[in-house]
Amino acid sequence: MLAGVAGARRSGPAASDVDVIVAGAGVIGLGVAWRARLRGLSVTIVDPAPGSGASRTAAGMLAPVTELHYGERPLLELNTASALRYPAFVDELERSSGCDIGYLRCGTLVAAWDAADMAGLRDIHGFARSLGLETELLTRRQLRARVPASASGLVGALAAPGDHQVDNRLLHHALLRACEREGARMVRVAAREWLLRGGRVVGLRLADGTDLTAPVVVLAAGAWSARIGGLPPEALPAVRPVKGQTLRLRTVGPPLLTCVLRGSVRGCPIYLVPRGDGRVVVGASSEEVGFDVRPRAGAVYELLRDAQALMPGLGEAELEEVSTSLRPASPDNAPLIGPSRVPGLVLAVGHYRNGVLLTPVTADAIAGLLADGAMPSEVAPFTPARFEPAVTPSRH
């Protein structure tokens, strides 16, 4: 386990710029930096364009229940733990930053397109209830009563009253402001390569040739985390880019939707996330195309088609924005949180579809590791060590 770094800059044998460098200024990186500053550590954040990646394109769903999949109970428990932290996290962040972050306790409905979908929702309902999670099955009539603008052909829904949302862009802005107010330094230059000394990470060399040093570097650069040079291939973080597109629509008149509405239209997943200002976020496509972030017309068409299948009135909305970014996915679609195999390098990567949801629990876990050298048990299943090859004892 990593030793706490508080004071290491002053007592260590080599001079360092700060206690901690955080590479990446999305919501995960900024959350770590903010929490580390609150623990008394000096922090430098490195990112050429803070908040320009997945943190901007995300929809901001806080959905531990409606993201539930069989066989992912540890991830469900982590997601649930982070969702439970959100109210206190929001209160503290809004006080620290002076900014509203658009946290809405609106609940989520998952609509059934046909009888087969409804049968699947009954299974999820039973599984969720067996885990102590609150869900409710709705008939067609009950769904229409809650969401009058939903399509008349939908056969029912699953309600998850504890699955809420936050405005991801407001969240990022507030985290950036909180980091600034707490005295974290922001360096808006890309990280080019790792600085290594005796097999240990001791800092970063930036694209402009500047070297930054620290006892610990936290890597939180999302899908780009494996593209910083200087590490041997076996030490690169196990993350890959998954392209996603979201749309932002603006409606006029009374809101069509006051809760998150999800569904699967002929096998294609779709979600609609209403904002308080009349916008609706529609998402999201999912494509394994490397680092290609060009918007694809077909994906936009498919999202609009399926959104209107759930809520026909969206056909009259203004198409305000198409956003494209890369989700950071790991081999098991769960995050890597904790020390890497390289001394001095800590990972906070691979959050895939749940980066916004997992910001509080990841930030607290990494800040605790940095300050005290220990992490909570709830993140134990998500250490990077799970992807390291097992060592087979030699036989003589």
Side-chain angles (χ1 to χ4, degrees):
M1 186 62 70
L2 183 77
V5 300
R9 177 167 58 94
R10 289 165 291 281
S11 61
S16 299
D17 297 311
V18 288
D19 293 321
V20 181
I21 297 170
V22 177
V27 292
I28 295 292
L30 292 179
V32 168
W34 176 49
R35 290 309 216 195
R37 282 295 301 133
L38 294 178
R39 299 296 292 268
L41 303 176
S42 57
V43 179
T44 293
I45 308 162
V46 175
D47 194 311
S52 60
S55 294
R56 179 173 178 78
T57 301
M61 292 186 298
L62 309 176
V65 175
T66 51
E67 286 282 339
L68 176 62
H69 297 285
Y70 292 103
E72 294 185 349
R73 184 160 182 173
L75 181 57
L76 168 66
E77 291 173 350
L78 186 70
N79 287 344
T80 302
S82 201
L84 291 173
R85 292 179 188 220
Y86 243 96
F89 180 83
V90 167
D91 287 345
E92 189 174 358
L93 178 57
E94 290 185 340
R95 288 197 305 270
S96 180
S97 66
C99 303
D100 175 72
I101 67 170
Y103 176 56
L104 298 178
R105 301 190 190 198
C106 59
T108 296
L109 299 180
V110 185
W113 177 257
D114 54 25
D117 280 353
M118 197 67 208
L121 292 181
R122 290 191 188 96
D123 289 344
I124 293 174
H125 172 64
F127 182 47
R129 295 296 290 268
S130 73
L131 300 176
L133 302 173
E134 184 183 1
T135 58
E136 178 188 0
L137 289 172
L138 305 181
T139 65
R140 181 199 308 263
R141 181 173 295 180
Q142 289 170 325
L143 170 60
R144 289 278 287 173
R146 294 198 189 188
V147 188
S150 61
S152 59
L154 300 174
V155 301
L158 176 73
D163 279 14
H164 302 309
Q165 66 151 306
V166 67
D167 188 317
N168 49 292
R169 296 181 179 180
L170 296 181
L171 171 65
H172 183 272
H173 176 73
L175 284 168
L176 190 61
R177 180 68 62 85
C179 286
E180 292 171 347
R181 287 188 169 187
E182 293 296 335
R185 176 191 177 201
M186 176 66 71
V187 178
R188 296 175 185 255
V189 181
R192 188 174 72 197
E193 61 182 324
W194 299 101
L195 296 178
L196 298 168
R197 185 178 302 143
R200 178 184 183 88
V201 165
V202 296
L204 287 168
R205 177 160 293 152
L206 307 185
D208 63 1
T210 301
D211 287 352
L212 299 177
T213 60
V216 178
V217 180
V218 178
L219 178 58
W224 290 267
S225 291
R227 290 171 71 97
I228 300 173
L231 293 180
E234 65 273 12
L236 293 175
V239 291
R240 71 185 192 281
V242 178
K243 180 180 177 180
Q245 290 182 210
T246 57
L247 313 178
R248 280 168 169 76
L249 311 181
R250 180 178 287 279
T251 61
V252 295
L256 296 175
L257 187 63
T258 57
C259 67
V260 176
L261 181 63
R262 307 182 65 161
S264 182
V265 179
R266 301 183 184 90
C268 298
I270 187 78
Y271 53 74
L272 313 176
V273 183
R275 299 290 195 234
D277 60 2
R279 290 183 175 89
V280 176
V281 183
V282 179
S285 63
S286 184
E287 303 173 66
E288 302 264 2
V289 291
F291 287 88
D292 179 3
V293 294
R294 292 173 297 177
R296 186 173 64 85
V300 174
Y301 163 74
E302 291 155 8
L303 289 172
L304 289 172
R305 177 198 65 195
D306 295 343
Q308 291 176 79
L310 288 189
M311 185 163 288
L314 288 178
E316 301 302 316
E318 174 189 352
L319 176 57
E320 192 174 71
E321 181 184 319
V322 177
S323 301
T324 306
S325 68
L326 302 174
R327 304 182 188 96
S330 72
D332 61 1
N333 294 330
L336 290 78
I337 303 172
S340 75
R341 65 190 302 167
V342 182
L345 176 60
V346 171
L347 302 185
V349 300
H351 291 75
Y352 193 35
R353 299 172 62 89
N354 293 308
V356 173
L357 170 60
L358 290 174
T359 294
V361 75
T362 302
D364 287 341
I366 297 296
L369 176 68
L370 297 173
D372 305 324
M375 292 195 302
S377 59
E378 60 204 8
V379 301
F382 306 100
T383 63
R386 72 185 188 275
F387 294 125
E388 294 178 7
V391 177
T392 303
S394 59
R395 296 182 179 179
H396 299 285

